[in-house]
Coordinates of all heavy atoms in Angstrom, one line a residue:
P1 N 112.0 80.2 116.6 CA 111.1 81.1 116.0 C 109.7 80.8 116.2 O 109.3 79.7 116.5 CB 111.5 81.0 114.5 CG 112.7 80.1 114.4 CD 112.9 79.5 115.7
S2 N 108.8 81.8 116.1 CA 107.4 81.6 116.3 C 106.8 80.8 115.1 O 107.4 80.8 114.0 CB 106.7 83.0 116.3 OG 107.2 83.7 117.4
P3 N 105.7 80.1 115.4 CA 105.1 79.3 114.3 C 104.5 80.2 113.2 O 104.2 81.3 113.5 CB 104.1 78.5 115.0 CG 103.8 79.2 116.3 CD 105.1 79.9 116.6
V4 N 104.4 79.7 112.1 CA 103.8 80.4 111.0 C 102.3 80.2 111.0 O 101.8 79.0 111.1 CB 104.3 79.9 109.6 CG1 103.6 80.6 108.5 CG2 105.8 80.2 109.5
D5 N 101.5 81.2 110.9 CA 100.0 81.2 110.9 C 99.6 80.6 109.5 O 99.9 81.2 108.5 CB 99.4 82.5 111.1 CG 97.9 82.5 111.1 OD1 97.3 81.8 110.3 OD2 97.3 83.4 111.8
P6 N 99.0 79.5 109.4 CA 98.7 78.9 108.1 C 97.7 79.7 107.3 O 97.7 79.6 106.1 CB 98.1 77.5 108.5 CG 97.7 77.6 109.9 CD 98.6 78.6 110.5
G7 N 96.9 80.5 107.9 CA 95.9 81.3 107.2 C 96.6 82.5 106.5 O 96.1 82.9 105.4
T8 N 97.6 83.1 107.1 CA 98.2 84.3 106.5 C 99.6 84.0 106.0 O 100.1 84.8 105.1 CB 98.3 85.4 107.5 OG1 99.2 85.0 108.6 CG2 96.9 85.8 108.0
G9 N 100.3 83.0 106.5 CA 101.7 82.8 106.1 C 102.7 83.7 106.9 O 103.9 83.6 106.7
F10 N 102.2 84.5 107.8 CA 103.0 85.3 108.6 C 103.4 84.6 109.9 O 102.7 83.7 110.4 CB 102.3 86.6 109.1 CG 102.0 87.5 107.9 CD1 100.8 87.7 107.4 CD2 103.1 88.3 107.4 CE1 100.5 88.6 106.3 CE2 102.9 89.1 106.3 CZ 101.6 89.3 105.8
F11 N 104.5 85.0 110.5 CA 105.0 84.5 111.8 C 104.0 84.9 112.8 O 103.5 86.0 112.8 CB 106.4 84.9 112.1 CG 107.4 84.3 111.3 CD1 108.0 84.9 110.2 CD2 107.9 83.0 111.6 CE1 109.0 84.3 109.5 CE2 108.9 82.4 110.9 CZ 109.4 83.1 109.8
L12 N 103.7 84.1 113.8 CA 102.8 84.4 114.8 C 103.5 84.4 116.2 O 104.1 83.4 116.5 CB 101.6 83.4 114.8 CG 100.6 83.5 115.9 CD1 99.8 84.8 115.7 CD2 99.6 82.3 115.9
D13 N 103.5 85.5 116.8 CA 104.0 85.6 118.2 C 103.1 84.9 119.1 O 101.9 85.2 119.3 CB 104.2 87.1 118.6 CG 104.9 87.2 119.9 OD1 104.8 86.3 120.8 OD2 105.6 88.2 120.1
A14 N 103.6 83.8 119.8 CA 102.7 83.0 120.6 C 102.0 83.8 121.7 O 100.9 83.4 122.2 CB 103.6 81.9 121.2
R15 N 102.6 84.9 122.1 CA 102.0 85.7 123.2 C 100.7 86.3 122.7 O 99.9 86.7 123.5 CB 103.0 86.8 123.7 CG 104.2 86.3 124.3 CD 105.2 87.4 124.7 NE 105.7 87.9 123.4 CZ 106.6 88.9 123.4 NH1 107.0 89.5 124.5 NH2 107.0 89.4 122.2
L16 N 100.5 86.4 121.4 CA 99.3 87.0 120.9 C 98.2 86.0 120.7 O 97.1 86.4 120.4 CB 99.6 87.7 119.5 CG 100.7 88.8 119.6 CD1 101.0 89.4 118.2 CD2 100.2 90.0 120.5
A17 N 98.5 84.8 120.7 CA 97.6 83.7 120.5 C 96.9 83.2 121.8 O 96.0 82.4 121.7 CB 98.3 82.5 119.8
D18 N 97.4 83.7 122.9 CA 96.8 83.3 124.2 C 95.4 83.9 124.4 O 94.9 84.7 123.6 CB 97.7 83.7 125.3 CG 99.0 82.9 125.3 OD1 99.0 81.8 124.7 OD2 100.0 83.3 125.8
A19 N 94.8 83.7 125.5 CA 93.5 84.2 125.8 C 93.6 85.8 125.9 O 94.7 86.3 126.1 CB 93.1 83.7 127.2
P20 N 92.5 86.5 125.8 CA 92.5 87.9 125.9 C 93.1 88.4 127.2 O 93.0 87.7 128.2 CB 91.0 88.3 125.9 CG 90.3 87.1 125.2 CD 91.1 85.9 125.6
V21 N 93.7 89.6 127.1 CA 94.4 90.1 128.3 C 93.4 91.1 129.0 O 92.8 91.9 128.3 CB 95.7 90.9 127.8 CG1 96.3 91.6 129.0 CG2 96.6 90.0 127.2
T22 N 93.3 91.0 130.3 CA 92.5 91.9 131.0 C 93.4 92.7 131.9 O 94.3 92.2 132.6 CB 91.5 91.1 131.9 OG1 90.7 90.3 131.1 CG2 90.6 92.0 132.7
S23 N 93.2 94.0 131.9 CA 94.1 94.9 132.7 C 93.3 95.6 133.8 O 92.1 95.9 133.6 CB 94.6 96.0 131.8 OG 95.4 96.9 132.5
S24 N 93.9 95.8 135.0 CA 93.3 96.4 136.1 C 93.4 98.0 135.9 O 92.7 98.7 136.5 CB 94.0 96.1 137.4 OG 95.3 96.5 137.3
V25 N 94.2 98.4 134.9 CA 94.3 99.8 134.6 C 93.6 100.1 133.2 O 93.9 99.3 132.3 CB 95.8 100.2 134.5 CG1 95.9 101.7 134.1 CG2 96.5 99.9 135.8
T26 N 92.8 101.1 133.2 CA 92.1 101.4 131.9 C 93.2 101.9 130.9 O 94.0 102.8 131.2 CB 91.1 102.5 132.1 OG1 90.1 102.1 133.1 CG2 90.4 102.8 130.8
P27 N 93.2 101.2 129.7 CA 94.2 101.7 128.7 C 93.9 103.0 128.2 O 92.8 103.5 128.2 CB 94.1 100.6 127.6 CG 92.8 100.0 127.8 CD 92.4 100.1 129.2
P28 N 95.0 103.7 127.7 CA 94.8 105.1 127.1 C 94.0 105.0 125.8 O 93.9 103.9 125.2 CB 96.2 105.5 126.8 CG 97.0 104.3 126.6 CD 96.3 103.3 127.6
P29 N 93.4 106.1 125.3 CA 92.7 106.1 124.0 C 93.7 105.7 122.9 O 94.9 105.8 123.0 CB 92.3 107.5 123.8 CG 92.5 108.2 125.1 CD 93.5 107.4 125.9
L30 N 93.1 105.1 121.8 CA 93.9 104.7 120.7 C 94.7 105.9 120.1 O 94.1 107.0 120.0 CB 93.1 104.1 119.6 CG 92.4 102.7 119.9 CD1 91.6 102.3 118.8 CD2 93.5 101.7 120.2
S31 N 95.9 105.7 119.7 CA 96.7 106.8 119.1 C 97.4 106.2 117.9 O 97.7 105.0 117.9 CB 97.6 107.5 120.0 OG 98.5 106.6 120.6
G32 N 97.9 107.0 117.0 CA 98.6 106.4 115.8 C 100.0 106.7 115.8 O 100.5 107.4 116.8
G33 N 100.7 106.2 114.8 CA 102.1 106.5 114.7 C 103.0 105.7 115.6 O 104.1 106.2 116.0
T34 N 102.6 104.5 115.9 CA 103.4 103.7 116.9 C 104.3 102.6 116.2 O 104.7 101.7 116.8 CB 102.5 103.1 117.9 OG1 101.5 102.2 117.2 CG2 101.8 104.1 118.7
L35 N 104.5 102.8 114.9 CA 105.4 101.8 114.2 C 106.4 102.5 113.4 O 106.1 103.4 112.6 CB 104.5 100.9 113.3 CG 105.2 99.9 112.4 CD1 105.8 98.8 113.3 CD2 104.2 99.3 111.4
L36 N 107.6 102.0 113.5 CA 108.8 102.6 112.7 C 109.5 101.4 112.1 O 109.9 100.5 112.8 CB 109.7 103.4 113.6 CG 111.0 103.9 112.9 CD1 110.6 105.0 111.9 CD2 111.9 104.5 114.0
V37 N 109.6 101.3 110.8 CA 110.3 100.2 110.1 C 111.7 100.7 109.6 O 111.7 101.8 108.9 CB 109.5 99.7 108.9 CG1 110.3 98.6 108.2 CG2 108.2 99.1 109.5
L38 N 112.7 100.0 110.0 CA 114.1 100.4 109.6 C 114.7 99.2 108.9 O 115.2 98.3 109.6 CB 114.9 100.7 110.9 CG 114.4 101.8 111.8 CD1 115.2 101.9 113.1 CD2 114.4 103.2 111.1
G39 N 114.5 99.1 107.6 CA 115.0 98.0 106.9 C 114.3 96.7 107.3 O 113.1 96.5 107.1
E40 N 115.1 95.8 107.9 CA 114.5 94.5 108.3 C 114.1 94.5 109.8 O 113.9 93.4 110.3 CB 115.6 93.4 108.0 CG 115.9 93.3 106.5 CD 117.0 92.3 106.2 OE1 117.7 91.8 107.2 OE2 117.1 91.9 105.0
T41 N 114.1 95.6 110.4 CA 113.7 95.8 111.8 C 112.5 96.7 111.9 O 112.4 97.7 111.3 CB 114.9 96.4 112.6 OG1 116.0 95.5 112.4 CG2 114.6 96.5 114.1
A42 N 111.6 96.3 112.8 CA 110.4 97.1 113.1 C 110.5 97.5 114.6 O 110.8 96.6 115.5 CB 109.1 96.4 112.9
I43 N 110.2 98.7 114.9 CA 110.1 99.2 116.3 C 108.6 99.5 116.5 O 108.0 100.2 115.8 CB 110.9 100.5 116.5 CG1 112.3 100.4 115.9 CG2 110.9 100.8 118.0 CD1 113.2 99.5 116.6

């Protein structure tokens, strides 16, 4: 399992703690509605 962030108490995905990500492709504009929670699972 991922380590727990001591500041928040939440699990921390190690991939999010690395250096900033730089992309050669310009990302799309921000949009909403990208999270669906199904009981104990999040998409």
Side-chain angles (χ1 to χ4, degrees):
S2 300
V4 175
D5 180 327
T8 63
F10 291 106
F11 287 99
L12 179 65
D13 186 329
R15 294 176 293 181
L16 301 177
D18 293 336
V21 175
T22 303
S23 175
S24 60
V25 178
T26 303
L30 292 177
S31 61
T34 58
L35 177 67
L36 177 66
V37 177
L38 305 171
E40 297 176 345
T41 302
I43 315 292

